[in-house]
Amino acid sequence: NAGVMQNPRHLVRRRGQEARLRCSPMKGHSHVYWYRQLPEEGLKFMVYLQKENIIDESGMPKERFSAEFPKEGPSILRIQQVVRGDSAAYFCASSPERAAETQYFGPGTRLLVL
Amino acid sequence: SQQGEEDPQALSIQEGENATMNCSYKTSINNLQWYRQNSGRGLVHLILIRSNEREKHSGRLRVTLDTSKKSSSLLITASRAADTASYFCATPGSGGSNYKLTFGKGTLLTVNP
């Protein structure tokens, strides 16, 4: 049973470009969460999605950031016009149900903005 | 300060010794979780302790929870070099936001062979 998969594992972008981060949840999981980890910091919640629905995006910056989890395919976290401050590790987690106590994390995508 | 703060920030020990990390939090919780993160990798769930539990064991791990002091500790016994990692405590949001995990900055544990 494959775990949570994220790609790419590393992504380098120049300022002003777009970054697209993908997350495939564990098989049977329909709840996806995105977190961001800045250097030397803990993870910070960004957004919670179910298939075709954004449930809670309270942790996501209002501008330039968007997330989706389509009916088919992986969840996508999209960052437009990246800036150096977006450099961080972005982790996706999944769970089989909303109230699940445990979230299963992917390996993360490390974004570096030059 | 934030919900879920670990101390110490860094801990260096010799193989075979025990390592103790602490976590403090601010609000009432239903459970508290500990995760491990190896350098440059994702998080691995270690153990969950519920608010009505005081102590829990899993292999070489022992977790305690003191809800009156809003604190938890993670003890790793007979440490190994492979235990070198950052350790984070995480608490869920309240009410309907229990999916929103809040992490501390972590304790960086180095186990020297």
Side-chain angles (χ1 to χ4, degrees):
Chain A
N1 188 10
V4 177
M5 299 175 68
Q6 291 187 249
N7 69 82
R9 296 289 304 276
H10 299 273
L11 183 61
V12 179
R13 284 287 178 267
R14 297 193 180 279
R15 281 179 295 170
Q17 291 184 320
E18 178 179 289
R20 277 181 175 249
L21 289 62
R22 295 175 190 79
C23 167
S24 295
M26 283 182 71
K27 188 176 181 181
H29 288 193
S30 59
H31 299 254
V32 166
Y33 317 85
W34 285 92
Y35 292 81
R36 177 166 65 176
Q37 184 180 33
L38 295 169
E40 311 298 326
E41 297 280 332
L43 277 70
K44 298 285 193 291
F45 169 84
M46 296 182 74
V47 60
Y48 163 35
L49 309 106
Q50 281 182 265
K51 286 283 186 182
E52 299 184 277
N53 285 303
I54 297 174
I55 307 302
D56 182 347
E57 55 183 350
S58 60
M60 200 156 65
K62 295 287 186 288
E63 297 181 355
R64 302 188 298 106
F65 284 72
S66 62
E68 62 176 10
F69 190 14
K71 188 176 180 181
E72 302 289 338
S75 175
I76 306 284
L77 179 67
R78 182 181 176 206
I79 311 172
Q80 294 178 288
Q81 299 174 335
V82 296
V83 300
R84 289 213 173 111
D86 297 331
S87 295
Y90 292 82
F91 291 94
C92 167
S94 73
S95 67
E97 55 199 31
R98 177 191 176 107
E101 290 179 319
T102 302
Q103 296 176 12
Y104 298 85
F105 283 81
T109 293
R110 276 140 188 91
L111 172 66
L112 176 62
V113 180
L114 301 176
Chain B
S1 54
Q2 56 187 321
Q3 177 89 330
E5 289 193 20
E6 298 88 346
D7 82 88
Q9 290 187 336
L11 180 61
S12 182
I13 59 175
Q14 296 300 123
E15 224 170 10
E17 294 180 339
N18 296 341
T20 299
M21 289 157 272
N22 303 297
C23 168
S24 60
Y25 58 93
K26 293 189 177 302
T27 62
S28 296
I29 57 172
N30 291 326
N31 66 69
L32 184 143
Q33 306 177 40
W34 285 90
Y35 287 81
R36 182 186 73 222
Q37 183 181 34
N38 290 85
S39 179
R41 308 291 288 273
L43 274 74
V44 174
H45 184 262
L46 293 177
I47 196 165
L48 179 152
I49 185 165
R50 294 189 173 82
S51 58
N52 62 351
E53 298 175 310
R54 291 294 167 262
E55 188 172 308
K56 199 164 183 178
H57 296 253
S58 176
R60 294 184 295 112
L61 305 180
R62 182 173 80 99
V63 169
T64 63
L65 180 63
D66 187 335
T67 53
S68 66
K69 294 181 179 177
K70 290 187 167 59
S71 67
S72 173
S73 68
L74 170 67
L75 168 67
I76 304 174
T77 60
S79 64
R80 305 166 182 168
D83 294 328
T84 295
S86 290
Y87 292 82
F88 296 89
C89 66
T91 52
S94 58
S97 299
N98 61 343
Y99 52 80
K100 194 181 294 186
L101 295 179
T102 298
F103 291 81
K105 293 184 179 181
T107 293
L108 176 58
L109 172 66
T110 302
V111 181
N112 301 298

